[in-house]
Amino acid sequence: MNELEYMRAEAPLEEPQRQYYFMKKGKELVTKLSEEAGHPLTFCVTTFGCQMNARDSEKLVGILEQMGYINEADEEKADFVIFNTCTVRENANQRVYGRLGQLSRIKKQNPYMMIGLCGCMMQEAEVVEKIKKSYRYVDLIFGTHNIYKFAELIVTRLESNRMVIDVWKDTDQIVEELPNERKYSFKSGVNIMFGCNNFCSYCIVPYVRGRERSRNPKDIVREIERFVADGVVEVMLLGQNVNSYGKTLEEPMSFAQLLQEIEKIEGLQRIRFMTPHPKDLSDELIEVMGQSKKICKHLHLPLQSGSTRILEKMNRRYTKEQYLNLVDKIRAAVPDISLTTDIIVGFPGETEEDFLETLDVVKKVRYDSAFTFQYSKRTGTPAAVMENQVSPDVVKERFERLLKEVQSISAEVCSVYKDTIQEVLVESVNDHDDSLVTGRMGNNLLVHFSGKPSLIGNLVTVKLTECHGFYYIGEQVCVKTDSEKTENKFQQ
Ligand code: 5AD
Ligand code: SF4
């Protein structure tokens, strides 16, 4: 038996114990290599794409730090560069290839350097083939289903000196209790479910993130309780279609019921979630949102298209009218709710009339903000082989018109908060002026105001004095704390 086989034989089979075994083994290897190199080995994880990927990256960082790697913000200086990739649109893929090309020169100068690729793009067989052929200096490739095995894969790479590739088609496994290193001390993403079963006809996600599976509610609540004990005041519950939460559990539970459990967690102040699907948004959820003290008054409700004809081709399973009725229902139950959305222009077969329907919904709903996308053909999805793909010029022209409409409405909608007093969760020192801090209102709007860095992580009461379209300038309002109010009462 060689050393590698011996190590495999003695590793526990149970997870997560197996991964803790490999983190320990890996740490010994990393310590040895750091001594050889004359400096502690460093890593840089670069995240592309959505919040789900951002949360996955925190898990990667947690594992790397357990193994003794040190965080290095500058990709070009790191000894281990990991790209956590996205493939939802073609331009995301191109950016990864571009960055990989640049790394080849740097890798030639650093004998200790390794490059790892993971995330959605790696779930596509053509991508892995292309990397094997044209980017042979990549060290490690793995997918979305086995990131929990990161430590084991690194050890395999360090021991074998070959490119290691491990990509799974799907999984029904969820491994709990692995390390993770939160990017922010006061807020965190929390996965509540993985995968998507919706198969919207333009979307690659169901193919690269697999079938829907939900985490056990107890595991979710325990994780949030731990975060709160560690200073977290805001959580973002993450899933591709959070309304489907709980359907696959042994004891099924609805998303609204999960929210009510999370609401009970003492010390937690704000709950956000993303993304709900309009077709599954229940009355129960609307009611829970209306009554909650902690769920932020913000709903991201992807429209994709305002044309019922196109929505049907997109396999969205709602009509323009159903979407608008849903918006009315939500606004009736939660009057001050902020609504945001995702819209795709140029889906195959989209005519000028279809596009005008989308503009019509935008004008009727008056979103606080909207992410607008030009349709991107994803190989393997039903829409990629549909007839009447819209020419890039037409897509671009419609996109510009939509953007103009969205921005002008958004500026009007956001200006209504001028001179109001709002709770703002302070997130950072302002990028451009360090006498200011930057925070977010419950509805997600950004606010900058004069304040000390010690406010970071606190909910602060702020008067919004100047509106600048999608952000505000404000000033802190002095409010008495509960203990001050009590003291005053006794003095009276
Ligand atoms: N082209 C353009 N936009 C897309 N999205 C998903 N797939 C595509 C595609 N093929 C957008 C949708 C989704 C958001 C995350 O990305 O609007 O809600
Ligand atoms: Fe993609 Fe539709 Fe699933 Fe969202 S709900 S991830 S758009 S398939």
Side-chain angles (χ1 to χ4, degrees):
M1 222 193 261
N2 66 28
E3 202 183 335
L4 194 58
E5 284 162 341
Y6 177 74
M7 200 165 65
R8 289 286 175 280
E10 75 163 16
L13 292 175
E14 287 277 297
E15 298 292 3
Q17 293 82 346
R18 185 176 173 85
Q19 296 315 310
Y20 281 98
Y21 170 90
F22 281 108
M23 281 178 237
K24 193 160 161 262
K25 282 276 165 212
K27 189 165 186 169
E28 289 163 16
L29 294 170
V30 171
T31 309
K32 219 162 86 189
L33 285 171
S34 296
E35 275 162 17
E36 248 177 64
H39 67 267
L41 291 193
T42 57
F43 73 90
C44 178
V45 176
T46 302
T47 312
F48 297 82
C50 66
Q51 308 219 22
M52 197 74 90
N53 262 18
R55 181 70 188 131
D56 283 348
S57 288
E58 292 182 344
K59 297 175 188 174
L60 299 175
V61 171
I63 293 170
L64 286 161
E65 290 191 346
Q66 286 264 322
M67 292 176 78
Y69 282 103
I70 309 287
N71 205 340
E72 163 61 66
D74 185 349
E75 198 172 283
E76 305 212 338
K77 288 193 190 136
D79 298 298
F80 191 4
V81 174
I82 298 101
F83 288 160
N84 188 5
T85 63
C86 168
T87 187
V88 80
R89 286 170 291 275
E90 180 61 27
N91 52 6
N93 292 40
Q94 291 314 331
R95 274 168 56 210
V96 169
Y97 290 128
R99 297 273 279 270
L100 258 186
Q102 288 164 11
L103 282 184
S104 112
R105 174 182 51 87
I106 297 160
K107 192 169 179 189
K108 282 193 191 120
Q109 293 156 8
N110 179 357
Y112 292 93
M113 185 170 174
M114 294 210 297
I115 301 174
L117 300 175
C118 63
C120 295
M121 212 175 134
M122 299 307 123
Q123 291 294 135
E124 295 181 281
E126 320 77 75
V127 169
V128 176
E129 277 315 305
K130 180 168 172 167
I131 292 165
K132 268 164 52 180
K133 216 168 115 218
S134 311
Y135 301 87
R136 296 183 50 182
Y137 48 91
V138 168
D139 297 274
L140 176 56
I141 298 176
F142 57 105
T144 55
H145 302 300
N146 55 345
I147 69 163
Y148 74 87
K149 271 185 68 181
F150 190 33
E152 183 169 349
L153 295 170
I154 295 175
V155 170
T156 310
R157 169 63 189 82
L158 290 175
E159 292 280 347
S160 71
N161 262 330
R162 288 181 286 108
M163 185 194 270
V164 171
I165 303 176
D166 191 13
V167 179
W168 302 356
K169 261 194 132 40
D170 205 349
T171 182
D172 53 10
Q173 210 177 351
I174 297 177
V175 178
E176 296 287 347
E177 304 290 334
L178 279 166
N180 63 79
E181 189 58 42
R182 291 193 317 273
K183 188 168 171 201
Y184 301 96
S185 58
F186 52 88
K187 68 169 186 177
S188 183
V190 174
N191 298 108
I192 62 164
M193 58 186 303
F194 303 92
C196 180
N197 287 357
N198 286 313
F199 292 94
C200 300
S201 64
Y202 50 82
C203 186
I204 194 89
V205 168
Y207 305 89
V208 296
R209 287 267 173 186
R211 296 293 61 74
E212 268 174 28
R213 54 211 181 275
S214 296
R215 278 178 80 195
N216 209 307
K218 285 202 180 74
D219 291 325
I220 298 171
V221 169
R222 193 183 320 135
E223 180 170 56
I224 300 176
E225 281 171 349
R226 276 193 207 146
F227 285 169
V228 171
D230 198 27
V232 166
V233 290
E234 177 180 303
V235 288
M236 167 73 92
L237 309 177
L238 298 170
Q240 305 296 348
N241 175 10
V242 290
N243 305 105
S244 292
Y245 173 78
K247 286 188 183 153
T248 53
L249 289 171
E250 262 177 42
E251 288 176 46
M253 178 184 209
S254 70
F255 178 54
Q257 286 167 330
L258 176 71
L259 280 172
Q260 285 168 295
E261 289 305 308
I262 295 173
E263 175 108 17
K264 289 182 201 153
I265 299 175
E266 231 168 280
L268 181 65
Q269 311 211 38
R270 278 182 173 180
I271 305 169
R272 299 182 186 278
F273 57 85
M274 120 176 272
T275 312
H277 192 304
K279 79 177 161 65
D280 299 316
L281 203 135
S282 66
D283 291 351
E284 187 196 12
L285 175 61
I286 296 175
E287 196 187 320
V288 168
M289 284 190 80
Q291 288 167 359
S292 168
K293 296 212 163 40
K294 296 186 180 174
I295 302 173
C296 290
K297 305 283 177 252
H298 169 218
L299 195 67
H300 184 70
L301 197 61
L303 169 69
Q304 312 301 4
S305 168
S307 152
T308 298
R309 201 179 71 85
I310 294 293
L311 284 168
E312 197 181 337
K313 287 188 172 197
M314 286 178 161
N315 193 29
R316 291 291 288 175
R317 288 175 272 167
Y318 53 84
T319 62
K320 175 186 180 186
E321 288 68 34
Q322 283 167 334
Y323 184 95
L324 288 172
N325 286 340
L326 182 63
V327 166
D328 287 345
K329 211 152 67 171
I330 295 165
R331 287 212 163 118
V334 197
D336 46 354
I337 196 157
S338 126
L339 290 176
T340 57
T341 199
D342 291 344
I343 300 171
I344 299 174
V345 287
F347 182 85
E350 184 189 74
T351 61
E352 176 64 18
E353 288 70 44
D354 293 316
F355 176 67
L356 291 175
E357 298 273 17
T358 299
L359 278 184
D360 186 44
V361 176
V362 167
K363 286 181 195 154
K364 288 199 163 102
V365 176
R366 298 180 60 78
Y367 295 103
D368 288 61
S369 75
F371 294 104
T372 50
F373 304 107
Q374 303 189 16
Y375 167 72
S376 170
K377 197 194 231 183
R378 309 313 292 131
T379 309
T381 61
V385 290
M386 283 182 187
E387 282 171 9
N388 302 325
Q389 301 277 332
V390 184
S391 80
D393 290 350
V394 175
V395 177
K396 202 160 176 291
E397 185 266 338
R398 287 182 193 158
F399 180 80
E400 303 291 340
R401 274 155 72 199
L402 176 66
L403 195 64
K404 230 168 122 189
E405 191 64 56
V406 158
Q407 285 175 341
S408 96
I409 292 175
S410 164
E412 282 171 33
V413 172
C414 296
S415 68
V416 302
Y417 300 103
K418 185 160 179 329
D419 294 329
T420 61
I421 291 182
Q422 301 283 343
E423 290 254 275
V424 172
L425 176 60
V426 181
E427 301 204 334
S428 58
V429 172
N430 186 287
D431 287 343
H432 305 290
D433 177 350
D434 59 13
S435 71
L436 301 179
V437 289
T438 299
R440 265 174 214 279
M441 289 161 46
N443 68 10
N444 225 20
L445 266 182
L446 281 177
V447 184
H448 309 289
F449 64 97
S450 170
K452 296 211 170 74
S454 58
L455 289 176
I456 292 172
N458 286 287
L459 276 164
V460 175
T461 310
V462 176
K463 180 164 180 198
L464 306 181
T465 49
E466 281 172 46
C467 178
H468 291 255
F470 58 94
Y471 70 89
Y472 271 94
I473 300 290
E475 50 196 47
Q476 189 173 356
V477 178
C478 276
V479 275
K480 289 184 174 124
T481 63
D482 284 346
S483 62
E484 280 169 334
K485 283 181 203 157
T486 323
E487 275 166 28
N488 284 345
K489 215 162 42 192
F490 285 133
Q491 280 161 12
Q492 278 165 7

